[in-house]
Amino acid sequence: MSSFVRPVCSALALVVASLAVPSQAKTATDIPLEAYGDLPTVEDIALSPDGTKRASIRNFKGTLRLIVMDDKDNVLANASAGTSKVRSVRWADDSTILVTNTATVSLGPYFAASKYELTGTIIVPLNIDQKPELVFSNRRNIADTTRGAYGIRRIGGRTVGYFGGIALDTGIGGAQFRHGRTTLYAVELPDNRAHQAARAPAEDHYRDWLIDAAGNVAITLDINNTNGKWIIENAQGQELARGVDPTGDMGLICFGQDGATIIYSVRDDDEVDHWYEVPLAGGQATEFLPDIAIERLYIDPASNKLLGYRKNDESGETVMFDPLAQSALKRIFAAFPNRNVRLIDWTEGFRKVVLRTDGNGDSGTWYLVDVTNRRADPIGYERPAIWGENVGPISRVEYTATDGLELDGVLTLPPGHEARNLPIVVLPHGGPRAADEVGFDWWAQAFASRGYAVFQPNFRGSTGRGDALRNASYGEWGRKMQTDISDGLAELVKRGIADPKRACIVGASYGGYAALAGVTLQHGLYRCSVAVAPVADIDMFFDNRMYETGRSHMARNSWREELGDPKHYDEVSPRKHAAEADAPVMLIHGKDDTVVPYRQSVVMADALKDAGKPYELVTLKGEDHWLSRSETRQQMLEAAMVFVQKHNPAD
């Protein structure tokens, strides 16, 4: 392998192994937009349980491939991942790989939605005598789609995977859905022999399960979708906990550290999330880590026991309950200062781990860390054409909303430009239950490479900043959530960073709604708006959600809580205010969007046309809500960039 010249600091005394240096253009503007809009060259990497092999999903010019290598970097497999959308890769055992993908499908006129995003799990044996196949594909009475993965266990020398499935009735007319509710199946791998492990819930009920280390269904959660009543029972049918949650915001998490307890989450009447721990044998539930904000948990895949957690604060500290694991990870993370570091995968005892880093100067790097031999091997670059000084500087900006709420956002500056009086693209995130962090964002970096400052505000409703901020968004679509965004722009103007006369607003999903609201519900702020997969009519969106969920009472309560009183939806629907648009609008939407229907953009375009307002509608054929395909993602980025440059030139 060739020389690798970007050293990692020696806090762990790791030896950084060699890997080809990412290419660098002279300036960021020399880098083609496709380098930003393409899918990353590395999608996912997983370690085999024994740590001797790694499987990865790689993007080669828009085609995804499964690459399997041993610890000597010998290629054991190099196969096409197909035309579907690959979401993850993991190991079932040391010789069997599971690839999760999704596809947008139409199920016919008898289903509530015109299209669904269905998940499939592909079994890939390293044994060349066995062919890859979908879980359940050899069973006529189970649909070949998986609804959730509940763990992999070794039982009597066999590997067994637990997956949710949909039971079918077979007859002369062919296979038909029995009822559509999830049944739990145990599947012997890699042979793909399935048998029922737990029955499906009753009508209008939802179920979740925890599988213990021996492969037993140890815990069952049952939720009544009609009234929100829920109950948790152990394998003996003994009640461990019960309650009522009208919005369905509760669920099973995992087993406790020693496997003798379980952890579950509940949202209280004040919309604050609490985690509780209760003994498997029954007893008093106690609140789990009540004073610690947690971003994610680390769970042992072989037993579903809790190993540790990552704090949801500025430190981002990873905490492991085992002292040896904690010591090892602390030294590993210290070896990558000033970068966002994520623990992706690990072997038992954390002897080997896979990390992903990004941030200033780093467009996404994957490392294999061998703790025993004290070395870190970079094993993949997500965007090798974008590196070092060509990554626009990224920083956090704190500001205060008009009503005094403390907020923050992420500022990306154009490489090589002084942070003074810059044209700006305001880029609110989707969700809205999400957040932007100080890291490499391909969309923000693309605009920065063309001379724009980019601001990504974490408005009320954003996650990772406490329950109070998250819950402050209820009923505030188009209101305080919207002014939070423009308050962030005002802060950058106040600091002299942004030119208030050269601002555009761009976003996707909820961010697309905010982009439309920025020029219809607000005025005098933006020179243009680019809305990707936006909600344009809230009343239509709400009705669509209700229809697709079968008028679920829990779904109704949840969306009413989020969106507020339906009688006010027209007040904050951009479609209803199209005649008030004060800047050109570009709408971009995938035809296969199963989250926000394509029709949302069509009706917005019609409203703008009827009002005589300038607009463009770009249709992405075969694309979903998440811009999962390389070609159409690049189409979106190219169209958005041309539109912004036309209406808000950077020079």
Side-chain angles (χ1 to χ4, degrees):
M1 302 174 86
S2 58
S3 147
F4 179 73
V5 298
R6 296 185 70 251
V8 177
C9 89
S10 58
L12 182 58
L14 294 173
V15 177
V16 180
S18 59
L19 190 71
V21 178
S23 60
Q24 284 191 312
K26 292 181 179 179
T27 64
T29 54
D30 294 329
I31 300 173
L33 272 185
E34 65 185 32
Y36 297 90
D38 196 3
L39 296 175
T41 60
V42 181
E43 290 279 348
D44 196 14
I45 299 179
L47 288 173
S48 62
D50 65 4
T52 64
K53 297 177 285 292
R54 62 183 185 269
S56 61
I57 301 298
R58 306 272 177 159
N59 170 29
F60 293 96
K61 298 181 179 180
T63 300
L64 295 181
R65 300 192 68 82
L66 170 65
I67 309 295
V68 183
M69 304 179 74
D70 64 17
D71 53 6
K72 305 298 182 185
D73 290 336
N74 298 309
V75 177
L76 305 179
N78 182 348
S80 170
T83 58
S84 59
K85 293 166 281 192
V86 178
R87 303 303 185 186
S88 68
V89 62
R90 58 189 165 135
W91 293 80
D93 54 37
D94 291 322
S95 59
T96 309
I97 298 164
L98 300 176
V99 176
T100 301
N101 64 7
T102 68
T104 310
V105 298
S106 298
L107 296 180
Y110 300 106
F111 289 84
S114 59
K115 295 180 179 180
Y116 291 85
E117 194 75 11
L118 296 184
T119 299
T121 303
I122 306 170
I123 307 167
V124 184
L126 289 186
N127 182 351
I128 61 174
D129 294 329
Q130 292 180 286
K131 294 183 179 180
E133 62 182 25
L134 279 167
V135 168
F136 305 136
S137 62
N138 57 6
R139 289 287 300 269
R140 294 182 64 244
N141 62 341
I142 309 174
D144 55 2
T145 179
T146 48
R147 280 190 169 182
Y150 295 86
I152 306 293
R153 302 290 182 264
R154 289 289 292 177
I155 303 172
R158 296 174 292 111
T159 302
V160 180
Y162 293 83
F163 302 94
I166 303 175
L168 302 176
D169 286 325
T170 58
I172 297 176
Q176 296 181 343
F177 286 104
R178 185 173 301 170
H179 45 60
R181 300 185 295 278
T182 301
T183 300
L184 180 65
Y185 294 95
V187 182
E188 293 185 28
L189 303 171
D191 300 323
N192 204 11
R193 291 194 292 266
H195 65 270
Q196 182 174 308
R199 61 185 176 85
E203 186 176 357
D204 291 326
H205 283 244
Y206 162 81
R207 278 195 175 168
D208 195 8
W209 301 273
L210 289 180
I211 310 298
D212 66 18
N216 302 309
V217 180
I219 295 294
T220 300
L221 163 68
D222 189 277
I223 303 177
N224 187 322
N225 289 326
T226 302
N227 55 28
K229 291 182 178 180
W230 58 266
I231 184 171
I232 298 174
E233 296 179 341
N234 63 17
Q236 292 73 42
Q238 178 185 4
E239 178 186 315
L240 301 184
R242 70 162 57 235
V244 179
D245 190 326
T247 61
D249 291 318
M250 69 83 54
L252 297 176
I253 305 296
C254 63
F255 295 104
Q257 301 172 50
D258 58 6
T261 63
I262 66 160
I263 299 169
Y264 62 95
S265 66
V266 175
R267 184 169 294 178
D268 66 19
D269 293 338
D270 294 323
E271 299 302 318
V272 176
D273 288 328
H274 299 272
W275 291 5
Y276 291 93
E277 187 169 21
V278 63
L280 269 171
Q284 181 66 38
T286 58
E287 193 162 1
F288 179 71
L289 300 177
D291 300 320
I292 299 176
I294 299 174
E295 177 187 294
R296 64 162 291 187
L297 295 179
Y298 297 103
I299 298 170
D300 180 11
S303 65
N304 216 13
K305 295 178 185 177
L306 182 62
L307 300 175
Y309 57 90
R310 178 184 172 90
K311 291 183 178 180
N312 196 356
D313 57 22
E314 291 184 4
S315 73
E317 180 184 3
T318 295
V319 178
M320 293 292 164
F321 299 119
D322 178 69
L324 293 178
Q326 176 65 16
S327 177
L329 287 178
K330 186 173 182 179
R331 286 178 289 153
I332 290 170
F333 278 56
F336 297 87
N338 303 318
R339 291 195 237 177
N340 291 318
V341 184
R342 291 289 185 272
L343 177 61
I344 304 297
D345 199 11
W346 59 88
T347 61
E348 186 178 0
F350 294 92
R351 289 185 289 270
K352 288 185 178 180
V353 303
V354 172
L355 301 176
R356 181 191 177 277
T357 69
D358 75 325
N360 282 299
D362 183 349
S363 56
T365 308
W366 294 68
Y367 288 91
L368 174 62
V369 181
D370 185 335
V371 177
T372 304
N373 295 311
R374 304 168 69 85
R375 60 183 286 128
D377 296 86
I379 53 175
Y381 296 101
E382 292 186 4
R383 301 183 187 277
I386 309 166
W387 202 258
E389 294 181 356
N390 289 328
V391 176
I394 315 158
S395 62
R396 184 182 306 278
V397 174
E398 296 181 350
Y399 67 101
T400 303
T402 301
D403 65 356
L405 188 63
E406 294 183 357
L407 301 169
D408 69 79
V410 178
L411 176 65
T412 301
L413 295 172
H417 287 62
E418 181 185 1
R420 188 72 184 169
N421 207 36
L422 293 169
I424 187 166
V425 170
V426 179
L427 187 64
H429 60 71
R433 297 292 181 262
D436 287 307
E437 304 297 338
V438 179
F440 183 93
D441 181 290
W442 62 271
W443 206 358
Q445 290 287 337
F447 279 111
S449 74
R450 270 48 184 174
Y452 297 93
V454 181
F455 186 61
Q456 298 168 275
N458 287 314
F459 43 85
R460 68 193 71 202
S462 298
T463 54
R465 285 144 183 82
D467 293 318
L469 181 68
R470 183 199 65 199
N471 300 333
S473 68
Y474 291 144
E476 294 295 343
W477 282 46
R479 297 181 175 90
K480 290 183 179 180
M481 292 172 75
Q482 195 66 32
T483 55
D484 286 350
I485 296 168
S486 51
D487 286 342
L489 172 60
E491 176 66 22
L492 296 180
V493 171
K494 179 181 176 182
R495 297 188 187 191
I497 296 172
D499 182 348
K501 297 181 180 180
R502 294 193 293 164
C504 282
I505 185 167
V506 178
S509 192
Y510 176 83
Y513 165 83
L516 292 178
V519 298
T520 56
L521 307 183
Q522 294 180 297
H523 301 99
L525 295 172
Y526 307 108
R527 297 181 67 169
C528 67
S529 166
V530 178
V532 180
V535 174
D537 187 310
I538 294 180
D539 191 53
M540 179 188 295
F541 178 73
F542 179 79
D543 284 347
N544 181 258
R545 276 284 182 265
M546 293 302 95
Y547 179 70
E548 291 185 354
T549 59
R551 303 292 171 183
S552 162
H553 290 275
M554 287 203 306
R556 177 182 179 276
N557 291 337
S558 179
W559 281 108
R560 282 283 298 269
E561 183 177 65
E562 174 69 33
L563 299 172
D565 190 335
K567 68 183 181 183
H568 297 301
Y569 288 172
D570 284 358
E571 297 172 14
V572 290
S573 290
R575 177 193 182 190
K576 303 297 184 179
H577 298 267
E580 301 165 41
D582 68 346
V585 173
M586 170 170 276
L587 298 155
I588 306 176
H589 216 129
K591 284 297 292 289
D592 284 353
D593 195 326
T594 58
V595 179
V596 179
Y598 172 72
R599 179 165 170 74
Q600 286 278 337
S601 284
V602 172
V603 298
M604 185 68 200
D606 288 344
L608 290 167
K609 180 180 179 180
D610 291 345
K613 299 295 182 177
Y615 77 95
E616 295 181 36
L617 173 60
V618 177
T619 300
L620 306 178
K621 294 182 179 180
E623 186 54 274
D624 59 22
H625 188 70
W626 306 279
L627 299 171
S628 299
R629 300 192 181 281
S630 178
E631 181 180 353
T632 40
R633 180 185 286 199
Q634 292 182 49
Q635 180 187 354
M636 180 284 295
L637 183 59
E638 179 69 30
M641 187 66 70
V642 169
F643 191 79
V644 170
Q645 289 177 323
K646 174 183 177 181
H647 297 287
N648 187 28
D651 50 23

Coordinates of all heavy atoms in Angstrom, one line a residue, residues 154-159 214:
R154 N -26.3 -17.8 18.6 CA -25.7 -19.1 18.3 C -26.4 -20.1 19.3 O -26.3 -20.0 20.5 CB -24.2 -19.1 18.6 CG -23.4 -18.3 17.6 CD -23.3 -19.0 16.2 NE -22.6 -20.3 16.3 CZ -22.4 -21.1 15.2 NH1 -23.0 -20.8 14.1 NH2 -21.7 -22.2 15.4
I155 N -27.1 -21.1 18.7 CA -27.9 -22.0 19.5 C -27.5 -23.4 19.0 O -27.8 -23.8 17.9 CB -29.4 -21.8 19.3 CG1 -29.8 -20.3 19.6 CG2 -30.2 -22.8 20.1 CD1 -31.2 -19.9 19.3
G156 N -26.9 -24.2 19.9 CA -26.5 -25.6 19.6 C -25.6 -25.7 18.4 O -25.8 -26.6 17.5
G157 N -24.7 -24.7 18.2 CA -23.8 -24.7 17.1 C -24.4 -24.2 15.8 O -23.7 -24.1 14.8
R158 N -25.6 -23.7 15.9 CA -26.2 -23.1 14.7 C -26.4 -21.6 14.9 O -26.6 -21.1 16.0 CB -27.6 -23.8 14.5 CG -27.6 -25.3 14.1 CD -29.0 -25.8 14.1 NE -29.6 -25.9 15.4 CZ -30.7 -25.1 15.7 NH1 -31.2 -24.2 14.8 NH2 -31.2 -25.2 16.9
T159 N -26.4 -20.9 13.8 CA -26.7 -19.5 13.8 C -28.1 -19.2 13.4 O -28.6 -19.7 12.4 CB -25.8 -18.7 12.7 OG1 -24.4 -19.0 13.0 CG2 -26.0 -17.2 12.8
A214 N -29.9 -17.1 24.9 CA -30.2 -18.4 24.5 C -31.2 -18.6 23.4 O -31.5 -19.7 23.0 CB -30.7 -19.2 25.8

